[in-house]
Amino acid sequence: MNDRALKVLEQYELEITDTRRGRGSYICETGQGLRILCDYAGSENKALFQNCVMQQMREGGYRKVDMIIPNKEGGLITRDWEGNAYVVKEWYVGRECDTLNENEILAAVGNLACIHRLMHLEGDSRFRSSFTAPPPYQEISAYNAELRKIRSYVRRKNARHEFERLFLNCYQNYYEQAEEAEKKILELWEEKDGVPGGRGDMTQICHGDYNHHHVLMSGYDIATTNFECCRFDWQINDLYRFMRKILEKHDWNPRLGMRMLERYVQERPVSAQERRLLYIRMLYPEKFRKLANHYYGSNKAWISGRFLEKLENLNRQEERKNVFVKMLEK
């Protein structure tokens, strides 16, 4: 974001006293409190959906969310003279959650459970068709088709890079996990009561991108930000994504993993179906799939050594990951 974007602020009723750069944004000191100016890739309807979700959270007592502020004309999205889209949001003092600090990790998990209790839009069908996640079995089925395509591509190559040779050597192990996850998710979906929330009456809403960057800590106070990916979905998926990323950084420490799950359950009970969905998500070799996808979309004339390094690290962590997955299965 360049300095010209600051001209957008003239379209708001703000008394700005100072501005400073943030990550791809500008943080503004104003007479009304901190505000942040950032790019926006969504539609006006998506911005309205975000604000509806955050307003419901505020009505439930959770105040520190980054609501989008209307401009002088009442719109949530503001465009500059080139047509680039921006939003101005409320912002908060704080630092990102420290992923190496177990107490802060557990606090972030407890915070996720707290916002999940409030993230529901019952009886409001305006947004459901546009902002509902696909069923998880469809997602996993598509991922598995993607893996098969990449494997076929690598097998057809005559001269193979060291990464490609290792990829083929370990592919079967990861693909068997992927197949098992697809089988189990279909079984779960076909049960009479389905997964939590049913099939047609889903009211739960996920943050969609809950990670340490979007959890701002100030003492015992926590703000939750960046709801651009929020959608109707099973909330256990938020917990899965957060746990997986943290556990990858902690060499899949099973004790930490179980403590995270226990902390979440203290604030928001988890049904038997949700627990099974979490297990299936963890069983799926998501990191392997992402690495394969990144490789497939990269320049194959020169394959970065980082691909090999990441795959070797993934293989090294595999045994510890399986220990934790087995614990979830019980």
Side-chain angles (χ1 to χ4, degrees), residues 172-190:
Q172 190 59 33
N173 174 58
Y174 290 114
Y175 188 71
E176 286 175 2
Q177 294 173 16
E179 279 192 314
E180 182 69 11
E182 183 175 5
K183 174 186 172 184
K184 289 181 180 297
I185 200 72
L186 282 169
E187 290 172 352
L188 178 61
W189 201 259
E190 290 169 357

Side-chain angles (χ1 to χ4, degrees), residues 23 52 208 263 324:
R23 182 188 288 119
C52 284
R263 181 69 183 88
F324 176 64

Side-chain angles (χ1 to χ4, degrees), residues 63-322:
R63 302 293 305 172
K64 287 200 166 185
V65 290
D66 56 340
M67 292 278 290
I68 301 173
I69 300 169
N71 57 32
K72 291 177 181 178
E73 297 180 354
L76 297 178
I77 298 175
T78 305
R79 298 185 182 276
D80 63 13
W81 66 276
E82 294 180 316
N84 300 310
Y86 300 91
V87 292
V88 173
K89 302 187 290 184
E90 298 180 20
W91 203 243
Y92 305 95
V93 174
R95 55 174 180 74
E96 294 179 357
C97 171
D98 183 355
T99 58
L100 299 181
N101 184 315
E102 186 168 320
N103 289 332
E104 291 197 8
I105 292 169
L106 296 177
V109 170
N111 179 69
L112 177 62
C114 287
I115 69 172
H116 276 171
R117 292 204 312 266
L118 303 173
M119 293 178 72
H120 298 265
L121 285 181
E122 299 188 36
D124 193 334
S125 59
R126 289 177 295 166
F127 309 110
R128 200 172 302 276
S129 61
S130 300
F131 308 120
T132 297
Y137 71 84
Q138 289 183 4
E139 183 181 26
I140 288 179
S141 177
Y143 285 166
N144 287 353
E146 178 184 273
L147 282 174
R148 292 191 295 271
K149 180 178 70 175
I150 296 170
R151 192 264 311 260
S152 296
Y153 168 79
V154 176
R155 290 176 71 177
R156 288 195 301 269
K157 292 188 71 175
N158 293 323
R160 294 178 189 141
H161 183 270
E162 190 175 356
F163 164 79
E164 294 164 332
R165 291 194 294 271
L166 181 57
F167 172 85
L168 290 177
N169 286 340
C170 62
Y171 175 88
Q172 190 59 33
N173 174 58
Y174 290 114
Y175 188 71
E176 286 175 2
Q177 294 173 16
E179 279 192 314
E180 182 69 11
E182 183 175 5
K183 174 186 172 184
K184 289 181 180 297
I185 200 72
L186 282 169
E187 290 172 352
L188 178 61
W189 201 259
E190 290 169 357
E191 289 180 358
K192 180 180 178 182
D193 296 327
V195 287
R199 301 186 187 193
D201 61 346
M202 168 58 68
T203 61
Q204 293 184 8
I205 295 175
C206 271
H207 180 283
D209 192 24
Y210 190 85
N211 60 54
H212 62 286
H213 297 302
H214 303 154
V215 180
L216 301 182
M217 297 191 161
S218 179
Y220 292 104
D221 213 5
I222 299 179
T224 307
T225 66
N226 294 80
F227 285 78
E228 283 80 357
C229 296
C230 69
R231 58 188 181 177
F232 291 95
D233 196 2
W234 286 273
Q235 293 176 336
I236 204 70
N237 287 329
D238 268 345
L239 179 62
Y240 153 70
R241 284 185 285 264
F242 185 75
M243 287 180 66
R244 181 179 60 79
K245 290 178 181 179
I246 293 295
L247 289 172
E248 286 170 359
K249 295 177 183 293
H250 287 260
D251 202 24
W252 285 92
N253 183 329
R255 182 194 62 81
L256 175 59
M258 295 310 295
R259 287 202 68 192
M260 292 169 73
L261 178 57
E262 290 163 5
R263 181 69 183 88
Y264 184 87
V265 172
Q266 286 175 6
E267 299 291 339
R268 177 187 174 273
V270 171
S271 69
Q273 291 89 353
E274 288 178 299
R275 175 73 178 247
R276 286 178 63 193
L277 184 55
L278 177 63
Y279 157 68
I280 293 167
R281 286 292 200 183
M282 288 291 185
L283 172 65
Y284 192 83
E286 178 64 11
K287 190 74 171 181
F288 180 75
R289 183 201 68 82
K290 283 190 169 183
L291 183 59
N293 179 268
H294 190 194
Y295 153 79
Y296 190 68
S298 68
N299 177 7
K300 307 192 189 49
W302 179 82
I303 299 176
S304 170
R306 288 286 293 158
F307 285 109
L308 180 61
E309 181 183 331
K310 287 181 178 181
L311 185 52
E312 288 175 337
N313 187 57
L314 185 63
N315 290 340
R316 182 184 60 81
Q317 290 187 334
E318 180 66 6
E319 185 176 347
R320 286 175 66 83
K321 179 196 170 185
N322 289 338

Side-chain angles (χ1 to χ4, degrees), residues 8-74:
V8 168
L9 295 171
E10 295 175 1
Q11 301 182 51
Y12 290 83
E13 297 283 1
L14 293 173
E15 302 169 8
I16 299 172
T17 58
D18 191 25
T19 61
R20 63 181 183 273
R21 283 186 178 275
R23 182 188 288 119
S25 63
Y26 281 97
I27 298 173
C28 310
E29 299 274 358
T30 79
Q32 300 95 322
L34 277 182
R35 301 291 184 260
I36 188 168
L37 170 68
C38 49
D39 301 320
Y40 191 75
S43 64
E44 189 81 22
N45 198 40
K46 182 58 185 286
L48 179 60
F49 173 53
Q50 289 174 229
N51 267 13
C52 284
V53 172
M54 289 185 280
Q55 181 60 36
Q56 173 121 346
M57 293 169 65
R58 286 190 165 179
E59 290 171 1
Y62 193 100
R63 302 293 305 172
K64 287 200 166 185
V65 290
D66 56 340
M67 292 278 290
I68 301 173
I69 300 169
N71 57 32
K72 291 177 181 178
E73 297 180 354

